[in-house]
Amino acid sequence: MNALWSLLLAGTLVAWAVLDGANQGLGAQLRRLGRTPAERRTMLTALGPFLLAGEVWLVGAAGVLLAGYPRVEKDLWAAAYPLVVALLVAWVLRDAGVWLRSRRPGRRWRAGWEVVVVVASTALPAVAGALLGAALTWLPGSGAGAAARVVVPLLLASATVAGTRTLGALLTARRTTGLLHGRAVDAAAAALPWTAGLLATSAAGWAVLVPSSGAARAVLASTVLAAGAACALLARRLLRAAPGRARALVAVAAASPLLAAGATLGPRLADGSASGTTLALVGPVLACAVPVLVAAQAWVWWTFRRPVGPRDAVFW
């Protein structure tokens, strides 16, 4: 039962990091890739169908954490509540900016909310990466030193931001045409070396600074991050020749910090899990809900996979 809950937690977090990470990366580059109001409106139209579909995974992850790992949730809130609050604030501001940007025709109104979208979409992955680093080094009993408590969250925050910018550029490239498409591909090509370098640096810092329950877990976590860096470099080579494969590799790279953290935090999650009775009561609900959620997500991403055109609905 614990293994199933761990799989659910990892799956929902990875889905959020990859799917909503693409939304965050698009929002962070809204004014950089979109040079005109029309191009920025096109980018938001491209984002529209995926906004709620991406962030629902964070809601699911929070539910799994609360129901399956209440002691871990309590410790994380006590140790890193400013980061949790910052994550929620950035999330709300990102959504508010997207929803309100086109509610008035004024240029200042739209430009102001576009800035909110850019700042919040950059802060959201940064805080998420820092929170992941805090889970590794700030929880009671982690054994992390002062250097690790600062360096690891900063490294993971930087790597997460770089990964989401790459995902966002690829989403923009897939959903647009013409100059905007070319600009997005160039942005992805420029972001991939940064993503690879930050993941490789995180792998080295992880091996040196993050305590783990045994050398095997430390090696595994660092290997996962190094593999993510290799995927980012390979994706750059395939970016124009095989964009589908490049997107898959970038998704692996973006998920690698979470997978590495799972390798390190596995024993802690097992110790902080809920009772077997609680898990057995909630389990059937999740068994019914998860397939429906996955099917709905697959339909959304398949239906809206093509570039936007003049006949597409304008969401924002």
Side-chain angles (χ1 to χ4, degrees):
M1 184 66 75
N2 283 334
L4 177 60
W5 278 83
S6 298
L7 183 62
L8 280 173
L9 181 61
T12 51
L13 285 174
V14 166
W16 179 71
V18 174
L19 300 180
D20 196 54
N23 300 333
Q24 296 161 25
L26 185 150
Q29 299 171 95
L30 179 63
R31 291 180 65 86
R32 178 171 175 264
L33 296 179
R35 305 287 173 81
T36 66
E39 288 183 341
R40 292 192 283 273
R41 186 61 176 266
T42 298
M43 290 180 66
L44 291 175
T45 301
L47 167 68
F50 307 123
L51 183 65
L52 297 178
E55 62 191 13
V56 72
W57 292 107
L58 182 58
V59 178
V64 173
L65 185 64
L66 286 169
Y69 303 97
R71 283 174 285 178
V72 176
E73 181 273 333
K74 179 181 177 182
D75 289 344
L76 186 61
W77 172 257
Y81 70 90
L83 291 177
V84 177
V85 172
L87 180 74
L88 295 175
V89 169
W91 181 12
V92 170
L93 287 176
R94 190 274 304 266
D95 282 21
V98 172
W99 282 95
L100 296 176
R101 182 259 180 193
S102 298
R103 290 301 175 263
R104 291 185 181 179
R107 181 175 298 179
R108 289 186 179 180
W109 171 273
R110 293 188 175 186
W113 283 113
E114 286 169 4
V115 171
V116 170
V117 171
V118 170
V119 174
S121 297
T122 303
L124 186 54
V127 176
L131 187 59
L132 184 60
L136 289 162
T137 58
W138 294 7
L139 289 178
S142 68
R149 292 168 62 88
V150 175
V151 173
V152 172
L154 286 176
L155 283 175
L156 292 181
S158 301
T160 304
V161 169
T164 57
R165 290 181 78 86
T166 306
L167 288 168
L170 291 175
L171 177 60
T172 304
R174 185 174 185 177
R175 293 276 287 158
T176 59
T177 58
L179 290 175
L180 189 53
H181 169 84
R183 211 177 292 144
V185 173
D186 291 341
L192 280 168
W194 284 99
T195 304
L198 287 166
L199 287 173
T201 304
S202 299
W206 200 296
V208 174
L209 297 173
V210 177
S212 67
S213 56
R217 287 188 177 274
V219 171
L220 176 60
S222 296
T223 301
V224 169
L225 285 171
C231 286
L233 290 176
L234 182 56
R236 193 174 191 275
R237 298 188 61 181
L238 298 174
L239 189 58
R240 289 176 172 84
R245 294 181 182 180
R247 286 192 294 267
L249 288 168
V250 172
V252 173
S256 61
L258 279 166
L259 298 175
T264 302
L265 292 173
R268 179 59 187 255
L269 289 175
D271 292 340
S273 62
S275 65
T277 303
T278 301
L279 298 181
L281 288 173
V282 181
V285 177
L286 291 176
C288 297
V290 169
V292 174
L293 179 59
V294 171
Q297 293 277 309
W299 178 85
V300 168
W301 285 88
W302 178 258
T303 302
F304 296 100
R305 67 191 184 279
R306 296 183 178 85
V308 295
R311 298 182 62 183
D312 286 272
V314 177
F315 283 82
W316 321 109

